[in-house]
Structures are given as structure tokens and as C-alpha cells.
Amino acid sequence: MAEVPEVETIVRDLRSAVVGRSICGAEVLQPEAVRFPAPAEFAEILTKRQVLAADRRAKYILLPLSGDLLLAIHFMLWGTLTLTPRTAPRPDETLIVWHLDRDEELRLLDTLGYARAAVGEPADLAERLDLNALGPEALDPDFSVAVLARQLAKRRSAIKTVLLNQRVLAGLGNRDADESLWMAGIDPQRTAASLTDDELARLHDAICAVLEEGIELRGTQRDLFGVQGRAKHRRNIFERTRQPCPRCQTPIQHLKLGGRNTHYCPTCQH
DNA sequence: CGCTACCTGGGT
DNA sequence: ACCCAGGTAGCG
């Protein structure tokens, strides 16, 4: 599933294999997958455009196009992109297809069908997707302990829940939030505002380490070309309920926080 | 701020 | 035959 390491892996692949190329046209197979404009207009706008860059903001993929347009793609839980020859069989879960030059297709796939795309002028698209409300990027070089401390101050919800709010900090998903809190030795149920300076420093370092390792291993999913990422089995606690904590051997515990599955070590995390 | 709906496939 | 899923919008 798609957290930041998975999205970032695809963005880097887009940079190497799609940026600079032309979109000849688009085909919308699932109308619900287009947030805006209407599917027919979406396809119309996406004819004869050049892809100028590939960026990421939180879990959005942003593709600036010629003609002062921005294409945004969000994977939600299970979405992904593939780049394949036009003749390759199209999976049932194909939501949108972009026809590229050299007889290749960029395809948005999602068995759950939640993934979404939108296109518009950059300012309008940012407004409608509320991109300006997103918090600082955890992977930005400017992300510091001070930034983390400022963003968590006065937040009285559970730290785990706060870390998942992309308006507070852009970059953590459910797995990476659990893994970061385990690495920092912080109980996910603690209120965000209660963290000490020392805990904030540990959490900052843990967040950076977890995201960097996930990206280094190219995520847990297949990349743009179908190559499996190597992070799949690199989990310390996520979905390892009742298995021994890698640090102290205490069985990992599981609970729901804000409706989300949460995994932690009751001995290491306070 | 917390809860639910969204939807299909795979796990129990 | 049930659940349940790594995300988010939209609701109260």
C-alpha cells in the first residue's frame, strides 16, 4: 500500500522515465477516479501535453505539464502507477490510462478503486486539493526538531493520531508512524503536546530514519516498471502483533487509535 | 476534533 | 461467510 516511500519511489521513476515525454491522450476507464474536471474534459485537456517535472507533496504526485497545467495523482490505500508497452494486457483494476509517445502507457491501477487524479491550473488545483494547508515535509532538509516541536505543541490528541494528520506533518502513514514511535521509544497513546525535548529529538531522528530507509529500499510495493521494492519484510512492529519486540523480546501489542491499527511494544515505548 | 463512508480482494 | 486494509473527504 501507498505511504510516502512507495509514492516517492514512483515519483523518482517518473522523473527518470516519463519527464520530458509527451502525453498523446488520456482514457478514463473509471469516471469516479477523476476528481476534476469532468472525465471528458479531463481527457480532452490531457491531449498533446509534455510532462515537465515530477514532484511529491505529502502523498500527492504532482506532474507539471506544458500549457501551465498541473496533474495531481493520489494513490489513497492501494493505488499505483505502471509504465508498460501499449500492447501489454490491461488489468481489470485500471482506472485511467495516459497514452505516451513510443507506444507506451502510464496506467493508474487500484483494486479498491479509491485512487484519484485531477488536472488544472496550478493555483486552482492547489486551492481545490487544499495543498497549501499541508504541513511541513518530513523529508525536507528544513525539517528540524524545532519544526516538529512547533507542529506538535498544543495538540492534545494521541501522538500517533497527530502524526497521521498531513496538515501537521506531511510524510507519515500508518506503518511509518508506528515504526517511528517504536524507534523513538514513545507510547503512541501519549498526547502530542506532552513530549519532552529529548523525546521530540528522538522522534525527529526516527521519522527521518524510517522514511529514508523505506525510500532507500524502494518501498514495499512494485515500482513504475513492476520491480518489487525491498522494504516489504523490513518491519520491526507493524503488523507483528504477539511477535517479540526486536529490541526487548516483549510481545508486540495492538490497539486502535483514531480508528487506525496501532502496533507498539509496551516495554520499550513510554 | 473524531467518526464514517468509500470499494474490492485476500486473509481468517 | 465474514471481516479488514498502509488514506482522505466530509460529516456532526
Side-chain angles (χ1 to χ4, degrees), chain A residues 95-123:
Chain A
L95 307 181
I96 298 174
V97 174
W98 290 271
H99 300 284
L100 300 187
D101 49 19
R102 295 187 232 145
D103 288 324
E104 285 195 316
E105 290 183 351
L106 183 65
R107 299 169 176 171
L108 178 63
L109 312 179
D110 185 358
T111 51
L112 251 186
Y114 293 173
R116 296 290 180 263
V119 70
E121 290 175 15

Side-chain angles (χ1 to χ4, degrees), chain A residues 239-252:
Chain A
E239 291 179 340
R240 298 181 68 96
T241 310
R242 290 186 293 277
Q243 297 180 44
C245 167
R247 204 191 277 131
C248 76
Q249 313 307 314
T250 303
I252 297 302

Side-chain angles (χ1 to χ4, degrees), chain A residues 1 30 79 139 159 162 164 182 227 238 245:
Chain A
M1 308 202 191
Q30 288 294 330
L139 283 164
I159 180 64
V162 174
L164 289 180
W182 176 82
V227 177
F238 190 73
C245 167

Side-chain angles (χ1 to χ4, degrees), chain A residues 13-67:
Chain A
D13 291 346
L14 288 167
R15 258 176 224 144
S16 71
V18 172
V19 168
R21 295 178 60 181
S22 298
I23 296 174
C24 312
E27 226 175 303
V28 177
L29 306 180
Q30 288 294 330
E32 312 79 44
V34 177
R35 275 191 69 175
F36 57 81
E41 197 183 338
F42 178 89
E44 164 66 25
I45 289 173
L46 287 165
T47 54
K48 297 177 187 160
R49 302 283 178 184
Q50 193 181 13
V51 182
L52 303 179
D55 305 312
R56 182 186 57 75
R57 183 77 175 95
K59 294 161 196 160
Y60 284 98
I61 294 171
L62 300 174
L63 300 174
L65 307 177
S66 56

Side-chain angles (χ1 to χ4, degrees), chain A residues 74-145:
Chain A
H74 200 295
F75 289 159
M76 295 297 277
L77 290 177
W78 292 2
T80 194
L81 284 171
T82 63
L83 181 66
T84 57
R86 183 168 300 174
T87 52
R90 248 182 222 179
D92 291 340
E93 64 264 31
T94 309
L95 307 181
I96 298 174
V97 174
W98 290 271
H99 300 284
L100 300 187
D101 49 19
R102 295 187 232 145
D103 288 324
E104 285 195 316
E105 290 183 351
L106 183 65
R107 299 169 176 171
L108 178 63
L109 312 179
D110 185 358
T111 51
L112 251 186
Y114 293 173
R116 296 290 180 263
V119 70
E121 290 175 15
D124 186 45
L125 184 128
E127 171 82 15
R128 296 185 66 177
L129 297 180
D130 222 359
L131 298 182
N132 298 324
L134 291 168
E137 283 288 331
L139 283 164
D140 191 311
D142 292 340
F143 177 56
S144 61
V145 181

Side-chain angles (χ1 to χ4, degrees), chain A residues 208-229:
Chain A
C208 294
V210 165
L211 293 177
E212 279 163 18
E213 188 194 26
I215 291 168
E216 172 69 26
L217 296 172
R218 298 185 57 78
T220 56
Q221 298 191 285
R222 294 181 183 279
D223 66 14
L224 189 65
F225 315 105
V227 177
Q228 177 66 52

